[in-house]
Amino acid sequence: MQIKACLFDLDGVIVDTAKYHFIAWKEMAAGLGFDFTEKENELLKGVSRMRSLDILLEIGKITKTGEEKLRLAEQKNQRYLEYVNQMTEEEILPGVAKFIDDLRSNGVLIALGSASKNAPLIMERIHLAEKFDAIVDGNSVTKAKPDPEVFLKCAELLKVKPHECVVFEDAQAGIEAALNGGMKVIGVGSPENLSLADYLIPGFKKLDYELLSKWYK
Ligand code: B16
Ligand code: MG
């Protein structure tokens, strides 16, 4: 198989914004009178903002109206943005920029497939946007991962077929989205919840185009 494109998730793959999401959600939970743990935060990875809020409220056994939920989601996002606005390219996870450069010099197209509505801002803050041939994020999809919409849109924009794409994901919902779209998928991070991926990597330090091509020859 010829790898024509690599599609990257953002949070947990290119940068670790989960820690900022966690602080913002934890503060909100505290304000609502309950504790929110780091373990529970795992449930929110790769999940949309509104769905994340629903999960948080379920944990706290709290019911809110639709209007209140919109206000809470906005409040959380403002807090999260205080951290995002301070991000620099130093927050790009180890090996990622080098790997992307290596892919590009071998003619592989690069796209971002993220659930985050803040993805364009983050990509700008870390100066990585110019290396991407397409960006699809939470502003342009209607169905959340594990629906394959976000990755299929990437393939469409890049004019490549799904089976010519390799997706890099750190969350189970994202791995399922890639598989549902008929794509190859590599899990990034620790093995829990990533068992469906074709291969697992702890990070990008030891990966290059040559090794990737061997895996998918
Ligand atoms: P926002 P990804 C996801 O990013 C995060 O993993 C998830 O925790 C977050 O709720 C979601 O983006 C929405 O983020 O509030 O910025 O729209 O992993 O799909 O890049
Ligand atoms: Mg992710």
Side-chain angles (χ1 to χ4, degrees):
M1 161 226 176
Q2 200 203 336
I3 301 165
K4 291 205 175 155
C6 284
L7 316 183
F8 292 82
D9 173 53
L10 180 60
D11 173 31
V13 172
I14 295 179
V15 286
D16 178 23
T17 37
K19 58 182 186 240
Y20 304 138
H21 283 295
F22 177 56
I23 297 170
W25 286 127
K26 194 175 173 64
E27 279 181 12
M28 172 155 293
L32 292 167
F34 65 94
D35 189 31
F36 177 61
T37 67
E38 205 151 359
K39 189 155 177 257
E40 287 163 338
N41 191 53
E42 288 298 309
L43 299 169
L44 311 189
K45 288 192 176 173
V47 176
S48 75
R49 193 182 309 165
M50 290 312 288
R51 179 69 197 125
S52 296
L53 177 61
D54 281 336
I55 295 172
L56 189 90
L57 294 175
E58 273 167 34
I59 291 169
K61 299 187 177 61
I62 286 174
T63 315
K64 294 279 177 193
T65 65
E67 208 174 299
E68 282 168 331
K69 281 201 250 182
L70 284 175
R71 194 182 50 76
L72 286 172
E74 177 55 24
Q75 189 185 318
K76 180 265 168 181
N77 195 49
Q78 287 310 321
R79 186 72 180 99
Y80 173 64
L81 285 177
E82 288 176 25
Y83 291 98
V84 168
N85 281 320
Q86 288 177 35
M87 285 178 79
T88 67
E89 53 200 78
E90 277 168 29
E91 291 197 43
I92 300 173
L93 292 172
V96 173
K98 193 164 162 261
F99 178 56
I100 289 175
D101 286 342
D102 182 37
L103 291 171
R104 284 165 58 89
S105 62
N106 281 285
V108 178
L109 296 167
I110 311 291
L112 186 81
S114 167
S116 174
K117 292 190 171 180
N118 296 302
L121 173 65
I122 296 168
M123 292 297 278
E124 199 187 297
R125 295 269 354 149
I126 61 173
H127 299 128
L128 217 53
E130 61 270 20
K131 295 188 189 209
F132 281 68
D133 301 289
I135 290 184
V136 181
D137 59 38
N139 301 294
S140 45
V141 294
T142 53
K143 290 175 235 136
K145 300 168 185 176
D147 190 283
E149 183 186 13
V150 62
F151 294 130
L152 290 176
K153 275 203 171 173
C154 289
E156 201 182 306
L157 287 169
L158 299 175
K159 301 192 173 56
V160 296
K161 304 229 161 54
H163 71 267
E164 296 167 329
C165 299
V166 178
V167 172
F168 292 89
E169 256 291 350
D170 72 310
Q172 191 179 358
I175 303 231
E176 287 172 23
L179 294 173
N180 288 338
M183 296 176 175
K184 318 285 180 225
V185 59
I186 295 184
V188 183
S190 49
E192 305 102 56
N193 306 324
L194 304 179
S195 58
L196 291 171
D198 304 329
Y199 295 95
L200 266 177
I201 55 170
F204 289 89
K205 275 189 181 165
K206 291 188 179 146
L207 188 63
D208 60 11
Y209 174 73
E210 203 186 325
L211 181 56
L212 191 67
S213 305
K214 271 191 204 145
W215 285 352
Y216 290 114
K217 66 171 180 272

